[in-house]
Amino acid sequence: MAEDLKIMQKIFDMMQYAYGALAQFPKSEKFALVTDIKRSMDTLLERCIEAQKKYYKKTTLQDMDVEIMKLRAYIRLSFLLGFLPMKKYEIWSDMLVEIGKMLGGWIKAVNGSKST
């Protein structure tokens, strides 16, 4: 259960960092790529909350995993298009990798214990 709270804090930290980085995107992307990234982060946070509260967590955790992959793709695209500097891309990507590892451990724990 403590792992659940740690992953939520990591998601909050990533979102806090991301909002600062997204503020520097060009105006032309404010209602396109920026909106998609924010929606993806919001969905990730929502799935994390749902997984903490649900008795059966497996599908919700899989949905979180999918959302992390989407977010990785958006961030990579932002970097490739030149909207995100290399340093911010690396920091943000590292945060996502850490969240992904924590999620992987959570999924293994849920799959290992058939009662949850």
Side-chain angles (χ1 to χ4, degrees):
M1 189 65 163
E3 186 70 21
D4 306 357
L5 300 176
K6 287 180 188 175
I7 194 170
M8 183 173 287
Q9 186 58 53
K10 293 290 182 183
I11 292 170
F12 276 130
D13 293 346
M14 184 228 13
M15 290 178 78
Q16 185 178 7
Y17 181 82
Y19 271 75
L22 293 172
Q24 298 174 349
F25 275 47
K27 192 177 251 182
S28 63
E29 292 302 320
K30 294 289 183 198
F31 299 105
L33 188 56
V34 170
T35 302
D36 291 339
I37 292 171
K38 286 181 178 180
R39 186 181 325 110
S40 184
M41 289 189 300
D42 290 344
T43 303
L44 181 61
L45 180 61
E46 290 168 7
R47 296 299 170 265
C48 184
I49 292 167
E50 289 171 10
Q52 288 178 354
K53 294 296 180 184
K54 286 184 176 180
Y55 183 76
Y56 295 105
K57 303 174 185 309
K58 191 173 181 179
T59 56
T60 308
L61 293 175
Q62 289 170 340
D63 291 344
M64 272 182 76
D65 197 27
V66 169
E67 208 57 48
I68 287 173
M69 290 303 294
K70 287 183 194 176
L71 196 49
R72 279 187 187 143
Y74 284 136
I75 293 168
R76 185 162 192 260
L77 179 62
S78 299
F79 171 69
L80 293 174
L81 292 173
F83 303 147
L84 198 59
M86 171 69 90
K87 186 68 176 165
K88 289 187 186 223
Y89 171 70
E90 289 173 350
I91 292 169
W92 200 348
S93 292
D94 288 346
M95 290 175 159
L96 266 177
V97 166
E98 189 172 357
I99 292 167
K101 286 179 181 178
M102 292 174 85
L103 178 60
W106 195 3
I107 290 171
K108 283 181 184 174
V110 166
N111 287 341
S113 62
K114 297 298 178 191
S115 62
T116 50

Short mmCIF file of all heavy atoms in Angstrom, two decimals, residues 14-36:
data_model
loop_
_atom_site.label_atom_id
_atom_site.label_comp_id
_atom_site.label_asym_id
_atom_site.label_seq_id
_atom_site.Cartn_x
_atom_site.Cartn_y
_atom_site.Cartn_z
N MET A 14 6.12 14.64 -11.41
CA MET A 14 6.29 14.70 -12.87
C MET A 14 5.36 15.75 -13.46
O MET A 14 5.77 16.53 -14.32
CB MET A 14 6.01 13.33 -13.50
CG MET A 14 6.26 13.31 -14.98
SD MET A 14 5.01 12.60 -16.09
CE MET A 14 3.55 12.38 -15.20
N MET A 15 4.11 15.78 -12.99
CA MET A 15 3.15 16.75 -13.53
C MET A 15 3.59 18.19 -13.21
O MET A 15 3.49 19.07 -14.06
CB MET A 15 1.75 16.48 -12.97
CG MET A 15 1.14 15.21 -13.52
SD MET A 15 -0.49 14.85 -12.81
CE MET A 15 -1.51 15.99 -13.74
N GLN A 16 4.10 18.39 -12.01
CA GLN A 16 4.58 19.72 -11.62
C GLN A 16 5.72 20.16 -12.54
O GLN A 16 5.76 21.29 -13.01
CB GLN A 16 5.03 19.69 -10.17
CG GLN A 16 5.43 21.04 -9.62
CD GLN A 16 5.83 20.96 -8.15
OE1 GLN A 16 5.94 19.88 -7.57
NE2 GLN A 16 6.05 22.11 -7.56
N TYR A 17 6.65 19.26 -12.79
CA TYR A 17 7.75 19.56 -13.70
C TYR A 17 7.24 19.81 -15.12
O TYR A 17 7.65 20.75 -15.80
CB TYR A 17 8.77 18.41 -13.70
CG TYR A 17 9.93 18.69 -14.61
CD1 TYR A 17 10.99 19.47 -14.18
CD2 TYR A 17 9.96 18.18 -15.90
CE1 TYR A 17 12.05 19.75 -15.01
CE2 TYR A 17 11.03 18.46 -16.75
CZ TYR A 17 12.07 19.23 -16.31
OH TYR A 17 13.12 19.51 -17.13
N ALA A 18 6.31 18.98 -15.56
CA ALA A 18 5.81 19.04 -16.93
C ALA A 18 5.10 20.36 -17.22
O ALA A 18 5.26 20.93 -18.30
CB ALA A 18 4.87 17.87 -17.19
N TYR A 19 4.32 20.84 -16.27
CA TYR A 19 3.58 22.08 -16.51
C TYR A 19 4.54 23.24 -16.76
O TYR A 19 4.26 24.10 -17.61
CB TYR A 19 2.61 22.38 -15.36
CG TYR A 19 1.26 21.76 -15.58
CD1 TYR A 19 1.06 20.39 -15.40
CD2 TYR A 19 0.17 22.52 -15.99
CE1 TYR A 19 -0.18 19.81 -15.62
CE2 TYR A 19 -1.07 21.95 -16.21
CZ TYR A 19 -1.24 20.60 -16.02
OH TYR A 19 -2.46 20.02 -16.25
N GLY A 20 5.66 23.26 -16.08
CA GLY A 20 6.67 24.29 -16.34
C GLY A 20 7.28 24.14 -17.73
O GLY A 20 7.48 25.13 -18.44
N ALA A 21 7.55 22.91 -18.11
CA ALA A 21 8.13 22.66 -19.44
C ALA A 21 7.12 22.98 -20.54
O ALA A 21 7.47 23.54 -21.58
CB ALA A 21 8.59 21.20 -19.55
N LEU A 22 5.86 22.63 -20.32
CA LEU A 22 4.83 22.87 -21.33
C LEU A 22 4.54 24.35 -21.54
O LEU A 22 4.13 24.76 -22.63
CB LEU A 22 3.53 22.13 -20.96
CG LEU A 22 3.60 20.61 -20.99
CD1 LEU A 22 2.33 20.00 -20.41
CD2 LEU A 22 3.85 20.09 -22.39
N ALA A 23 4.77 25.14 -20.52
CA ALA A 23 4.55 26.59 -20.63
C ALA A 23 5.48 27.22 -21.67
O ALA A 23 5.18 28.29 -22.20
CB ALA A 23 4.74 27.25 -19.27
N GLN A 24 6.58 26.55 -21.97
CA GLN A 24 7.56 27.09 -22.91
C GLN A 24 7.33 26.62 -24.35
O GLN A 24 8.07 27.01 -25.24
CB GLN A 24 8.96 26.71 -22.45
CG GLN A 24 9.31 27.29 -21.10
CD GLN A 24 10.65 26.81 -20.58
OE1 GLN A 24 11.25 25.89 -21.10
NE2 GLN A 24 11.12 27.44 -19.50
N PHE A 25 6.30 25.81 -24.56
CA PHE A 25 5.98 25.36 -25.92
C PHE A 25 5.48 26.56 -26.74
O PHE A 25 4.93 27.51 -26.18
CB PHE A 25 4.92 24.27 -25.89
CG PHE A 25 5.44 22.87 -25.67
CD1 PHE A 25 6.37 22.60 -24.68
CD2 PHE A 25 4.99 21.83 -26.45
CE1 PHE A 25 6.85 21.32 -24.48
CE2 PHE A 25 5.46 20.54 -26.25
CZ PHE A 25 6.39 20.29 -25.27
N PRO A 26 5.63 26.50 -28.06
CA PRO A 26 5.13 27.60 -28.89
C PRO A 26 3.61 27.75 -28.77
O PRO A 26 2.90 26.77 -28.51
CB PRO A 26 5.52 27.19 -30.31
CG PRO A 26 6.17 25.88 -30.23
CD PRO A 26 6.26 25.44 -28.82
N LYS A 27 3.16 28.95 -28.98
CA LYS A 27 1.73 29.26 -28.87
C LYS A 27 0.89 28.38 -29.80
O LYS A 27 -0.22 27.98 -29.47
CB LYS A 27 1.49 30.73 -29.19
CG LYS A 27 0.12 31.23 -28.82
CD LYS A 27 -0.01 32.72 -29.09
CE LYS A 27 -0.07 33.42 -27.76
NZ LYS A 27 -0.25 34.86 -27.89
N SER A 28 1.45 28.05 -30.95
CA SER A 28 0.72 27.23 -31.93
C SER A 28 0.41 25.83 -31.42
O SER A 28 -0.48 25.16 -31.93
CB SER A 28 1.52 27.14 -33.23
OG SER A 28 2.75 26.47 -33.00
N GLU A 29 1.14 25.39 -30.41
CA GLU A 29 0.95 24.03 -29.87
C GLU A 29 0.14 24.00 -28.57
O GLU A 29 -0.13 22.94 -28.03
CB GLU A 29 2.30 23.36 -29.63
CG GLU A 29 3.06 23.04 -30.89
CD GLU A 29 2.28 22.13 -31.84
OE1 GLU A 29 1.62 21.18 -31.37
OE2 GLU A 29 2.33 22.38 -33.05
N LYS A 30 -0.25 25.16 -28.06
CA LYS A 30 -0.97 25.23 -26.78
C LYS A 30 -2.26 24.43 -26.79
O LYS A 30 -2.66 23.85 -25.79
CB LYS A 30 -1.26 26.68 -26.39
CG LYS A 30 -0.03 27.51 -26.11
CD LYS A 30 0.64 27.13 -24.82
CE LYS A 30 1.82 28.05 -24.56
NZ LYS A 30 2.76 27.57 -23.61
N PHE A 31 -2.96 24.42 -27.91
CA PHE A 31 -4.24 23.72 -27.98
C PHE A 31 -4.15 22.43 -28.79
O PHE A 31 -5.17 21.87 -29.15
CB PHE A 31 -5.32 24.65 -28.57
CG PHE A 31 -5.54 25.86 -27.72
CD1 PHE A 31 -5.05 27.09 -28.11
CD2 PHE A 31 -6.19 25.75 -26.50
CE1 PHE A 31 -5.24 28.21 -27.32
CE2 PHE A 31 -6.38 26.85 -25.70
CZ PHE A 31 -5.91 28.09 -26.10
N ALA A 32 -2.96 21.97 -29.04
CA ALA A 32 -2.78 20.73 -29.78
C ALA A 32 -1.95 19.76 -28.93
O ALA A 32 -2.50 19.04 -28.09
CB ALA A 32 -2.10 21.02 -31.12
N LEU A 33 -0.66 19.75 -29.13
CA LEU A 33 0.21 18.80 -28.44
C LEU A 33 0.20 19.01 -26.93
O LEU A 33 0.15 18.04 -26.17
CB LEU A 33 1.64 18.92 -28.99
CG LEU A 33 2.65 17.89 -28.53
CD1 LEU A 33 2.16 16.47 -28.83
CD2 LEU A 33 3.99 18.13 -29.20
N VAL A 34 0.20 20.25 -26.48
CA VAL A 34 0.19 20.52 -25.04
C VAL A 34 -1.08 19.96 -24.40
O VAL A 34 -1.04 19.32 -23.34
CB VAL A 34 0.32 22.04 -24.76
CG1 VAL A 34 0.07 22.35 -23.29
CG2 VAL A 34 1.71 22.54 -25.17
N THR A 35 -2.21 20.15 -25.06
CA THR A 35 -3.48 19.63 -24.55
C THR A 35 -3.46 18.11 -24.49
O THR A 35 -3.92 17.52 -23.50
CB THR A 35 -4.65 20.11 -25.44
OG1 THR A 35 -4.64 21.54 -25.47
CG2 THR A 35 -5.97 19.62 -24.91
N ASP A 36 -2.90 17.47 -25.50
CA ASP A 36 -2.81 16.00 -25.52
C ASP A 36 -1.93 15.50 -24.37
O ASP A 36 -2.27 14.51 -23.71
CB ASP A 36 -2.25 15.51 -26.85
CG ASP A 36 -3.21 15.72 -28.01
OD1 ASP A 36 -4.42 15.87 -27.76
OD2 ASP A 36 -2.73 15.74 -29.16
#
